[in-house]
Amino acid sequence: MQRSLRNIAIIAHVDHGKTSLVDGMLKQANVFRDPDAAGELILDVNDLERERGITILSKNASIRYGDIDINIVDTPGHVDFGGEVERVLNMADGCLLVVDAVEGPMPQTRSVLSQALALGLRPVVVINKIDRPAARPDEVISMIHDLFLELATDEHQLDFPVVYAVAKEGKSGPAPDDLRDDLQFLMDTIVEHVPAPTGDSDGPFQMLIASLDYDDHRGRIVIGRVLRGRLAVGDSVMHIAPDGTRTVEKVSYLATFAGMTRRAVEMVEAGDIIALAGCPDARIGATLADPASPDALPAMEIEAPTLRLTFGVNTSPLSGREGSMSTSRQLRERLFRELETNLSLKVDPTDQPDVFSVAGRGELHLSILIETMRREGYEFQVSRPEVVTRQVDGQVMEPVEHLFIDTTDDYVGTVTELVGSRRARMLDMVSDGRGSVRLEFSIPTRGLIGLRSAMLNATRGQASLSSQLSGYEPWQGPISSSRSGALVATDSGQALAFGLLNAQERGQTFIGPGTEVYEGMIVGQHPRDGDLPVNVCRGKKLTNMRAASADQHERLSPPVELSLEQALDFLEDDELLEVTPSNLRLRKQILRNDDRIKARRRAESAAHS
């Protein structure tokens, strides 16, 4: 057994400094020739991760500290990507829990920590951002102790070391007022308190596939931790799929992690986190075992999706102009390929051959998939998100979230009123005595749809939200929509300033002059209930007679540009979001105004009968 090895997973809520801490560890271990030139967000190589400032995909790295190899498993910090966390925690023996010195442990902290402790991981707590003026380390430590008392499965987990740090500056130490100018104290604490991996290196080989990658030359790369035995290049392994299917493959390549890259090796043993090639049909959650002793490991437990929407072929008049992949076959292949690595996603066909039902953990989880696909050149349309319910003893059960909102004293009433209209129940309210308040609510998952943007608008950005799935409860009744009507284009063509000026007299517009529009496209928001048809392609009629002010420049208000999440929040049941590599367009499902009126009358008639 390799005693000079440590396997750790890093756990933290969004923006608590986990990525900065990993950056500091990689730089201090001299992974780079010039640490100063390595920059920031080193492991976040995905463009979306860098743009949004969050970790989306779990990743592996390794550093050398003295004669110890420390394997790092980086995990996402947002609860919507919990599926990424659930499948990689079993590669670690210890966990680094990073907590903001002001905010304390948050919902995602609780969710992932409970899984880590249930697996028996030994924790090391890092109180980060200790240099913040509002830092309250003593209170945060007390909150962490309460959390561990609630979640610990072993009394040894309650005896955890605490490291204070300023990850951004690469500092760590045993006390808030005793910080060293490097991360050596943190490294020493990891080596001392995280146990070396255990396992029978002389037994038959066994490994659970935790992740997949792809190499242009070697094909599919399997990543996981060797739980038992040894493996060498050229050995045969049995792939035992979660459904019980068994195939024998030959290992053509073996590697361990070194820094941010892989180092080819001839043999690995129990405790190593490895990458191997030779299993072209490998699946996450499958077991690789010695063909002479093919013992399958328990399947991974992945939480069920809570939100669902539909992906369909783009049917707008502008379809096929901007995307290189827009057919139902291409859409189907891409969605089902996503299932190979995105375990918390679920894709089902519908009664329409070119429409697919896609369910995920939350709005962010689904929006990241949409954004990734549009950047790959796909063109499609999506529907309004809706919750995934369950039937228990003939009763409809819906997912319910534990919602945390941090705001200021001035907006407590505003926040309470806003979530109250979405059937939220207040669980707790705590003030820090310095003007900040943390509110806790129990709220149906469907009440979170559109809540973030509405909350930021209502509080002028003075609120932050986070939530965690707490369970399922009986359906709590309808939630009235807070959205007003839409401005819907009546003509196709290019939007003109004169037409937009008339539209802005009736509401906010989402497009500017020169934008190509079509009948049924949503071009703005009406301040009142009910949709309003507008002709934004209408131009000013020219005459021989001009008033003195005829040539006066008419000023247009700048259009409101909706992000992908805001566009999804805006949708109603009779609307769709057209997604292309170049544009996001809101539209009605039924494009012609006359047809919408007839459909509405038929629906009203059916309801009355």
Side-chain angles (χ1 to χ4, degrees):
M1 173 53 56
Q2 299 184 31
R3 295 297 172 189
S4 58
L5 183 63
R6 300 292 186 273
N7 296 324
I8 62 165
I10 301 189
I11 297 168
H13 189 74
V14 175
D15 203 33
H16 278 205
K18 170 180 61 66
T19 304
S20 296
L21 192 66
V22 174
D23 289 351
M25 294 171 71
L26 290 169
K27 290 176 181 178
Q28 179 149 336
N30 295 318
V31 170
F32 309 99
R33 290 183 179 179
D34 184 1
D36 294 332
E40 299 177 344
L41 310 177
I42 296 170
L43 280 187
D44 289 348
V45 294
N46 183 293
D47 288 342
L48 276 174
E49 291 179 317
R50 288 182 169 269
E51 289 172 17
R52 294 173 181 248
I54 58 174
T55 300
I56 297 171
L57 305 171
S58 58
K59 304 174 190 68
N60 295 87
S62 180
I63 60 175
R64 183 82 175 172
Y65 182 65
D67 59 352
I68 305 287
D69 285 314
I70 301 176
N71 284 322
I72 299 171
V73 181
D74 188 20
T75 65
H78 197 285
V79 70
D80 279 17
F81 306 109
E84 287 283 318
V85 178
E86 291 159 5
R87 65 182 174 84
V88 298
L89 281 180
N90 62 6
M91 290 195 285
D93 300 289
C95 63
L96 215 59
L97 176 64
V98 184
V99 180
D100 189 292
V102 176
E103 296 183 358
M106 299 290 279
Q108 175 69 358
T109 311
R110 173 186 295 270
S111 174
V112 182
L113 181 63
S114 63
Q115 297 175 52
L117 296 181
L119 290 171
L121 273 58
R122 293 295 297 273
V124 173
V125 173
V126 179
I127 308 298
N128 191 30
K129 303 186 182 182
I130 202 68
D131 59 332
R132 292 181 64 179
R136 44 176 187 150
D138 294 338
E139 294 176 52
V140 169
I141 285 292
S142 177
M143 295 164 68
I144 292 173
H145 276 291
D146 293 341
L147 186 62
F148 271 83
L149 283 170
E150 182 182 341
L151 301 178
T153 59
D154 184 325
E155 62 180 15
H156 297 295
Q157 292 173 336
L158 298 174
D159 183 23
F160 54 83
V162 178
V163 177
Y164 296 88
V166 181
K168 200 81 172 175
E169 299 176 11
K171 297 180 178 180
S172 67
D177 55 357
D178 185 13
L179 296 182
R180 290 81 189 267
D181 290 331
D182 53 35
L183 296 177
Q184 182 176 342
F185 183 80
L186 171 63
M187 303 287 206
D188 290 338
T189 304
I190 291 171
V191 171
E192 181 180 351
H193 290 274
V194 174
T198 58
D200 181 11
S201 293
D202 297 321
F205 174 76
Q206 191 182 45
M207 172 183 132
L208 189 68
I209 300 175
S211 188
L212 295 175
D213 198 359
Y214 186 81
D215 183 273
D216 290 338
H217 303 289
R218 297 184 175 93
R220 181 164 296 188
I221 301 292
V222 171
I223 298 172
R225 172 180 170 173
V226 181
L227 297 179
R228 189 178 66 194
R230 294 185 174 87
L231 185 68
V233 175
D235 286 354
S236 294
V237 293
M238 179 169 285
H239 177 270
I240 308 173
D243 62 2
T245 306
R246 301 185 174 209
T247 56
V248 176
E249 311 285 357
K250 179 171 285 190
V251 177
S252 59
Y253 166 78
L254 273 177
T256 56
F257 290 87
M260 294 177 59
T261 60
R262 300 184 188 123
R263 176 179 56 213
V265 295
E266 291 300 314
M267 178 177 287
V268 293
E269 61 178 322
D272 285 330
I273 295 177
I274 67 167
L276 66 85
C279 300
D281 298 318
R283 292 290 182 269
I284 293 175
T287 301
L288 293 182
D290 187 333
S293 182
D295 302 325
L297 290 161
M300 294 179 181
E301 292 289 334
I302 302 294
E303 243 177 58
T306 57
L307 276 185
R308 172 176 53 218
L309 46 71
T310 62
F311 280 61
V313 171
N314 186 12
T315 58
S316 90
L318 302 181
S319 63
R321 297 188 185 184
E322 299 170 0
S324 57
M325 286 168 280
S326 56
T327 67
S328 60
R329 179 185 61 80
Q330 291 169 327
L331 185 62
R332 176 188 176 86
E333 288 177 354
R334 177 63 180 84
L335 289 173
F336 280 92
R337 188 168 71 247
E338 183 71 17
L339 295 178
E340 296 180 4
T341 55
N342 200 336
L343 294 194
S344 49
L345 199 73
K346 185 178 181 183
V347 179
D348 294 305
T350 66
D351 53 3
Q352 298 173 268
D354 56 356
V355 177
F356 306 92
S357 172
V358 180
R361 280 288 185 84
E363 217 170 3
L364 184 61
H365 184 208
L366 292 170
S367 70
I368 290 295
L369 172 62
I370 293 170
E371 182 64 32
T372 300
M373 288 177 60
R374 71 181 289 222
R375 294 187 182 202
E376 292 172 358
Y378 286 86
E379 182 177 311
F380 51 94
Q381 61 192 25
V382 297
S383 66
R384 182 177 189 262
E386 61 180 22
V387 295
V388 179
T389 58
R390 296 177 177 177
Q391 287 279 348
V392 179
D393 298 328
Q395 188 173 26
V396 178
M397 307 289 283
E398 66 172 323
V400 176
E401 309 271 342
H402 191 169
L403 173 66
F404 294 75
I405 300 177
D406 289 295
T407 187
T408 61
D409 291 332
D410 297 338
Y411 292 107
V412 170
T414 304
V415 168
T416 305
E417 182 180 355
L418 189 57
V419 298
S421 65
R422 295 166 178 258
R423 297 195 174 269
R425 304 190 307 272
M426 182 177 285
L427 303 176
D428 197 9
M429 180 171 71
V430 179
S431 174
D432 66 356
R434 295 190 289 265
S436 296
V437 180
R438 173 169 293 178
L439 303 163
E440 296 184 31
F441 299 91
S442 176
I443 184 172
T445 298
R446 59 196 166 101
L448 295 179
I449 299 174
L451 178 61
R452 187 176 301 275
S453 57
M455 184 73 67
L456 292 176
N457 288 334
T459 62
R460 299 181 182 179
Q462 298 296 309
S464 62
L465 290 71
S466 54
S467 65
Q468 174 190 357
L469 182 67
S470 59
Y472 285 76
E473 295 181 6
W475 184 265
Q476 298 182 23
I479 295 177
S480 59
S481 174
S482 59
R483 202 202 89 179
S484 56
L487 301 179
V488 184
T490 59
D491 290 68
S492 299
Q494 280 198 343
L496 300 176
F498 185 74
L500 287 171
L501 193 65
N502 289 332
Q504 288 185 351
E505 292 175 357
R506 293 161 175 80
Q508 287 182 322
T509 54
F510 298 156
I511 62 171
T515 303
E516 194 159 5
V517 300
Y518 51 82
E519 182 181 4
M521 180 173 158
I522 296 172
V523 295
Q525 184 168 11
H526 190 215
R528 299 177 183 175
D529 291 337
D531 298 333
L532 182 67
V534 293
N535 182 5
V536 293
C537 301
R538 181 185 172 197
K540 181 185 290 188
K541 292 183 179 179
L542 299 178
T543 67
N544 291 328
M545 304 295 294
R546 291 182 180 271
S549 60
D551 294 324
Q552 182 179 338
H553 183 61
E554 294 170 331
R555 288 191 172 274
L556 282 172
S557 300
V560 177
E561 296 185 6
L562 300 180
S563 66
L564 175 56
E565 285 83 5
Q566 288 172 327
L568 289 172
D569 291 345
F570 185 86
L571 288 174
E572 289 289 358
D573 292 336
D574 65 337
E575 296 166 356
L576 296 169
L577 175 63
E578 179 187 353
V579 180
T580 76
S582 308
N583 290 290
L584 298 173
R585 300 184 185 97
L586 295 160
R587 52 160 289 189
K588 290 292 183 180
Q589 286 186 8
I590 302 174
L591 294 179
R592 293 188 70 245
N593 187 46
D594 292 344
D595 294 340
R596 289 198 302 275
I597 293 173
K598 291 176 184 177
R600 185 166 61 249
R601 286 174 179 168
R602 284 195 299 268
E604 290 172 353
S605 176
H608 288 312
S609 62

